[in-house]
Amino acid sequence: MVRSWPSVLIGFLIPIVLIVGGILVLGPLHVVIADFPLVFIWIFACMPLTWLCLWISWCFFDRKFYSNEE
């Protein structure tokens, strides 16, 4: 099955850019909030964002390829 480019963009590329970009940008900084480095807070914030991207990709682009009938 061939995936559509919006599905791949939203479900795969956006989370990768958020996570890797955040690590590259925030990793060298020594900012601490509530005894946690800022990069850790960013990674934990990316978890629900990644789930949201995957949900959007599934609901709007991929669900039609799977049927509930068996």
Side-chain angles (χ1 to χ4, degrees):
M1 172 176 36
V2 177
R3 299 277 183 215
S4 63
W5 66 269
S7 174
V8 173
L9 176 73
I10 294 171
F12 185 68
L13 292 178
I14 290 176
I16 285 179
V17 168
L18 285 174
I19 293 170
V20 174
I23 290 171
L24 292 175
V25 171
L26 300 175
L29 300 178
H30 297 290
V31 178
V32 177
I33 299 173
D35 291 333
F36 291 103
L38 184 59
V39 69
F40 287 167
I41 294 171
W42 177 255
I43 294 299
F44 286 124
C46 282
M47 285 183 199
L49 293 174
T50 300
W51 298 334
L52 178 65
C53 287
L54 289 172
W55 179 80
I56 290 170
S57 178
W58 167 256
C59 285
F60 293 107
F61 302 106
D62 294 334
R63 183 182 285 186
K64 60 188 170 197
F65 295 114
Y66 299 92
S67 67
N68 291 335
E69 301 173 6
E70 292 189 29

